[in-house]
Amino acid sequence: MIIVDDSKLSRMHVRAMVLRNKPDWSVVEAANGDELFRTIQDTPVDVAIIDYNMPGDNGVETAAKLRTSHPNVHVAIITANAQDAVVTGIRAVGAAFMPKPLEEEQVTRFLNSTALPPRRAAQAAPE
């Protein structure tokens, strides 16, 4: 699993919640989307928790690229920005939305859902 957030403190906080719930999981971290893609070249991941607000690509853009290259990764995007357009964008790439401040129950629910098939990106309606 990988945690992607430009804040080291936030990554540590999410890592602690993940490991309290899944102590046998291997967790790696990345500060942004570019680092995520460099990391997963050498370290396969099947779960990603990605912050929305980061320098460079935002969380939705990063998740969309991840979906293209690794369609079976379970993705959640965390953000304090719960505007309809943001949440719709998160769901459109097949990611789970987790509002900040993160609650451990939300993280646990997402981690447990990773035993199910991954969400799929929304398909455009035929014209």
Side-chain angles (χ1 to χ4, degrees):
M1 125 154 266
I2 191 162
I3 300 165
V4 186
D5 195 317
D6 58 313
S7 165
K8 175 72 174 164
L9 187 60
S10 291
R11 291 194 312 266
M12 291 169 53
H13 179 64
V14 174
R15 173 190 279 271
M17 283 193 269
V18 168
L19 292 176
R20 275 195 296 274
N21 288 279
K22 303 289 185 182
D24 56 332
W25 282 23
S26 173
V27 180
V28 294
E29 299 178 15
N32 55 47
D34 290 341
E35 194 174 310
L36 159 72
F37 291 104
R38 282 194 302 274
T39 301
I40 63 176
Q41 287 177 352
D42 301 322
T43 307
V45 299
D46 51 8
V47 178
I49 296 178
I50 304 171
D51 186 40
Y52 179 79
N53 287 313
M54 297 182 292
D57 289 343
N58 69 33
V60 170
E61 294 162 338
T62 299
K65 290 177 181 176
L66 184 60
R67 277 272 175 255
T68 300
S69 62
H70 296 77
N72 294 323
V73 173
H74 292 269
V75 179
I77 297 176
I78 55 177
T79 181
N81 185 347
Q83 295 176 4
D84 287 346
V86 172
V87 175
T88 299
I90 290 169
R91 293 197 174 123
V93 296
F97 164 66
M98 291 197 297
K100 282 185 177 180
L102 273 183
E103 294 179 9
E104 190 146 349
E105 181 181 318
Q106 292 173 304
V107 174
T108 302
R109 201 172 322 126
F110 171 69
L111 297 175
N112 289 338
S113 77
T114 63
L116 303 170
R119 295 169 182 241
R120 296 289 174 216
Q123 300 297 313
E127 295 182 16

